Amino acid sequence: MKYNIILANSALELIPKEIKKIRSKVYKYDILDSNYYYKFMNKLKDKERRGRPDIVHISLLTILDSPINHEGLLNIYVHTYDNKVLYINPKTRLPRNYFRFLGVIEKVLKYNNNPLIKMEEKSLETLLNEINAKKIALLTKRGELIKDNKVLKNFDTFLIGGFPEGEILINKNEVRGEIKEISVYKKGLMAWTVCGIVCYSLFF
């Protein structure tokens, strides 16, 4: 059986039209990064949840280099803040360098063909139904604490937030599968740490 890992509501998007005309002198990419546009992001809705493509970068590197992925047992998806879904081929070798990563992803978000990363516009709920997710673990610090990581193998799909603050936004009534909120540690963890724990637990 293959497991599904979804980075949900990810803070990965092209620079929105509200601040599109503002150009950083040291940043040449069209992807929103709060390090360079922080003082201008006050104009944006949900500013605290946006502009962190580094979270997606590090999380994907963690997932792609995990033993369970090398064994061909993962399907990997990135769902973005503005409802786009990136289908990541498990054999993808992402650049380790952050800015090279931005260059690759910028092309994908602008609908340039990439043989290993496909993008479609759709909601998180639509994606879950499309992949026929039946037992879905929604990772959140307020969820039920799982002390035996072997329990994670009872799920087929894992939702991990790809944003810096808040909770995963999802309409559970629109999802056919069963969603359970769980936690893998008593405190909040960075997304890539949660990805590592999930991947390790599913393999061993």
Side-chain angles (χ1 to χ4, degrees), residues 1-121:
M1 180 185 82
K2 280 193 173 186
Y3 297 98
N4 305 304
I5 293 185
I6 303 173
L7 294 176
N9 304 157
S10 296
L12 178 68
E13 61 181 300
L14 295 175
I15 297 173
K17 60 182 179 181
E18 294 94 323
I19 58 175
K20 179 71 174 176
K21 293 182 180 179
I22 302 167
R23 300 299 301 180
S24 169
K25 295 180 180 179
V26 296
Y27 181 76
K28 66 179 182 179
Y29 302 95
D30 277 339
I31 293 181
L32 183 65
D33 187 324
S34 61
N35 286 306
Y36 300 94
Y37 287 91
Y38 180 79
K39 65 180 180 179
F40 305 110
M41 288 178 62
N42 288 327
K43 300 179 180 181
L44 301 180
K45 177 184 176 182
D46 300 328
K47 63 177 182 178
E48 69 282 353
R49 298 174 61 90
R50 303 167 70 177
R52 288 292 307 276
D54 59 300
I55 294 176
V56 176
H57 182 218
I58 301 173
S59 297
L60 284 178
L61 289 177
T62 301
I63 296 168
L64 288 167
D65 198 39
S66 65
I68 192 167
N69 184 57
H70 289 313
E71 292 296 320
L73 298 176
L74 289 185
N75 296 314
I76 306 163
Y77 310 91
V78 177
H79 164 262
T80 70
Y81 171 83
D82 54 350
N83 278 328
K84 293 181 174 64
V85 172
L86 278 60
Y87 297 75
I88 311 294
N89 188 311
K91 295 182 180 179
T92 302
R93 297 188 66 180
L94 281 182
R96 267 51 178 169
N97 179 277
Y98 174 60
F99 294 107
R100 288 186 60 207
F101 164 78
L102 291 180
V104 170
I105 296 300
E106 179 183 322
K107 291 179 180 178
V108 173
L109 293 178
K110 290 183 174 180
Y111 295 94
N112 291 310
N113 290 332
N114 186 305
L116 296 177
I117 305 175
K118 182 179 73 169
M119 187 194 74
E120 295 180 1
E121 296 195 23

Side-chain angles (χ1 to χ4, degrees), residues 137-148 151-152 155 180-186:
L138 191 159
L139 280 295
T140 169
K141 62 183 178 182
R142 70 182 184 186
E144 178 185 341
L145 182 60
I146 302 298
K147 296 182 179 180
D148 182 358
V151 173
L152 295 181
F155 297 94
K180 182 174 181 179
E181 295 188 3
I182 67 169
S183 173
V184 292
Y185 187 60
K186 59 185 177 182

